[in-house]
Amino acid sequence: MLGDEFLSQEELDSLLNGLNEEPSIDNSLLDMMGEVGNISMGAGATTMSTLLRRKVNITSPETSLVKFKDIKEKFNGNQLVITIQYKKGLEGLNSFVLPENVALIIANLMMGGDGNIDETQSLDEISMSAVGEAMNQMMGSSSTAISEFIKTPVDISPPEVGIIDFSNKDTQFPPIESDADADIISVKFNMDIEGLSSTTFWQFIPAKFAKHIEELMKKVMAGDDSEQSTQQPVQQQPVQQTQQPMQQPMQQPMQQPMQQMQQPSGFSQNVIQQGSGVNVNPVNFGAISGNQTIPNENVDMSKLQLLLDVPLEVTVELGNTSMSLREVLQLHQGSMLQLDKLAGEPLDIYANGKLIARGEVVVIEESFGVRITEIVSLDERLRSLK
């Protein structure tokens, strides 16, 4: 258009078509999804290592772009396909494709085997159930890692696991997209199961799903920038020098027990097994302060002396949960139980089943211990022990 001339109809149509087109996928989005995959599968590998009792490494994500209709052309024969539906925070479907022989190894290890399989073997119902449980735990850890990355709560449905024969021309790939020509981001991972298998597997992410993650990440980055700009003047204030001596005595005795407490209650990604090589140091105990509780005059201490040598069973409760008989019968080595206490929450200490105190987990030389943080009053303890 020149001067004051009006746009022609062709120019208007071209402009409108440009507005209706979705933004193209650039290399920056591919790189971001590779980073998301690296973070999520890193957490998933930790969970798999715990479940399989072997070191599992998942590395080197390679991203590329493929049309939905062309995904089937990448594979031959039987492959394990895992489909994840995101319900909260993110919405949509993702699919993973894993070689069948690797699925057999995972099933064998989940059921207590040594991972050595017959190449002619196929996945039966029990093996498929074992693989499904492993994938459920792995994808749960992965979604948690994504949630932390994008600063948004993420919830997924239990994965749908099945074997698909890609040699069959009539095979239908899971409907992660409705448009056959839709762009799909393919993420290729290398996976190594210690001493057993080295292979590759794929994740397929719809472009719209990836763009949603990109939008959330931009919000997170914008929020971090604004937070830093508001905090910067505060950090330059001299008041910080007067606060530092007060923070040190609180952090030293508390941080290490809290960190040790979080690991056994984080389930899949935080379970520590014997021989895992995790270094645990003795805890630096802080000074115990507080006023001594004076016994009530109604308590006859002379009679109490007769009971001082009576043995009591002292127990510490990490937490509890309720399960049906069906759920108990389905437990196997590697199953995770979620308790009703949060990581870092004080543990209840009982004497003969009566609550007497609360505390936090510590390590004393090579043994676990409990540091008392709250003691029930003497009167209340005596009444509870009657």
Side-chain angles (χ1 to χ4, degrees):
M1 182 180 69
L2 298 175
D4 296 329
E5 295 179 3
F6 293 101
L7 291 174
S8 66
Q9 185 60 45
E10 293 181 357
E11 291 173 327
L12 287 173
D13 292 341
S14 177
L15 181 61
L16 291 174
N17 289 335
L19 291 175
N20 292 329
E21 290 179 359
E22 292 188 359
S24 60
I25 298 177
D26 54 17
N27 290 333
S28 63
L29 181 57
L30 293 178
D31 292 341
M32 175 178 288
M33 296 316 300
E35 181 62 22
V36 171
N38 193 29
I39 293 172
S40 63
M41 287 299 107
T46 302
T47 298
M48 290 295 286
S49 298
T50 302
L51 293 175
L52 306 183
R53 303 176 302 282
R54 287 178 180 266
K55 182 66 176 177
V56 176
N57 287 320
I58 301 177
T59 57
S60 305
E62 299 177 8
T63 57
S64 60
L65 205 58
V66 63
K67 295 296 183 182
F68 178 56
K69 63 183 179 182
D70 297 330
I71 292 179
K72 295 190 298 182
E73 306 301 325
K74 286 179 167 287
F75 306 102
N76 292 312
N78 290 339
Q79 304 284 334
L80 181 72
V81 179
I82 307 105
T83 303
I84 310 295
Q85 181 177 8
Y86 288 82
K87 303 187 300 181
K88 180 181 178 182
L90 297 170
E91 294 183 359
L93 298 174
N94 280 196
S95 286
F96 295 80
V97 179
L98 191 71
E100 184 182 23
N101 66 316
V102 178
L104 285 167
I105 293 174
I106 293 175
N108 183 276
L109 292 172
M110 285 288 292
M111 294 187 291
D114 57 6
N116 294 315
I117 60 170
D118 184 356
E119 294 295 335
T120 61
Q121 183 181 353
S122 60
L123 284 169
D124 55 21
E125 185 176 353
I126 297 178
S127 299
M128 188 69 74
S129 177
V131 174
E133 175 63 21
M135 293 299 105
N136 189 25
Q137 298 288 346
M138 177 179 174
M139 297 309 167
S141 300
S142 298
S143 64
T144 300
I146 293 176
S147 176
E148 295 175 354
F149 184 65
I150 63 178
K151 303 292 190 297
T152 302
V154 174
D155 188 19
I156 63 173
S157 298
E160 296 182 7
V161 181
I163 292 292
I164 292 182
D165 182 8
F166 285 91
S167 299
N168 187 347
K169 295 181 180 180
D170 297 329
T171 293
Q172 297 294 324
F173 197 78
I176 60 176
E177 261 292 356
S178 57
D179 183 3
D181 292 320
D183 288 330
I184 302 294
I185 296 178
S186 170
V187 187
K188 179 181 176 182
F189 296 93
N190 294 325
M191 182 170 71
D192 178 71
I193 302 177
E194 182 183 13
L196 291 175
S197 175
S198 295
T199 187
T200 57
F201 71 95
W202 286 261
Q203 179 182 7
F204 295 100
I205 307 169
K208 292 182 290 187
F209 187 93
K211 290 171 185 174
H212 189 190
I213 293 180
E214 184 182 36
E215 292 173 0
L216 292 174
M217 278 306 305
K218 288 180 179 178
K219 292 180 180 179
V220 171
M221 296 172 65
D224 291 342
D225 291 342
S226 61
E227 184 177 354
Q228 290 178 1
S229 63
T230 56
Q231 289 181 351
Q232 187 173 1
V234 178
Q235 293 176 354
Q236 296 175 356
Q237 298 296 326
V239 179
Q240 195 175 26
Q241 297 178 355
T242 61
Q243 291 179 345
Q244 188 174 0
M246 296 180 63
Q247 293 174 352
Q248 290 179 349
M250 286 295 292
Q251 291 175 349
Q252 288 180 352
M254 293 296 289
Q255 282 182 346
Q256 289 181 349
M258 289 287 285
Q259 291 171 353
Q260 295 163 5
M261 177 72 182
Q262 288 174 353
Q263 287 179 341
S265 61
F267 306 110
S268 55
Q269 68 268 31
N270 292 326
V271 172
I272 297 179
Q273 293 185 333
Q274 186 176 6
S276 60
V278 176
N279 294 324
V280 181
N281 298 320
V283 174
N284 297 324
F285 292 95
I288 299 177
S289 60
N291 298 326
Q292 182 178 2
T293 303
I294 301 177
N296 188 287
E297 59 184 1
N298 295 329
V299 178
D300 190 343
M301 298 302 295
S302 61
K303 294 182 180 179
L304 183 61
Q305 294 291 332
L306 302 175
L307 303 176
L308 293 182
D309 292 330
V310 174
L312 300 177
E313 181 180 356
V314 179
T315 58
V316 179
E317 184 179 279
L318 176 63
N320 60 72
T321 187
S322 298
M323 300 178 66
S324 66
L325 177 59
R326 180 188 302 274
E327 291 171 330
V328 172
L329 293 177
Q330 290 177 344
L331 292 178
H332 54 79
Q333 187 173 2
S335 295
M336 304 290 176
L337 298 182
Q338 183 173 1
L339 305 179
D340 59 352
K341 281 189 178 292
L342 300 175
E345 189 174 351
L347 307 183
D348 294 330
I349 304 171
Y350 295 87
N352 277 17
K354 305 296 182 181
L355 180 65
I356 61 170
R358 294 182 178 86
E360 59 190 10
V361 173
V362 296
V363 174
I364 305 173
E365 295 182 350
E366 296 181 355
S367 301
F368 282 112
V370 178
R371 182 172 186 264
I372 304 297
T373 58
E374 178 186 351
I375 299 179
V376 179
S377 66
L378 179 59
D379 288 345
E380 189 175 350
R381 277 184 286 156
L382 291 175
R383 286 195 298 270
S384 66
L385 291 174
K386 289 181 181 179

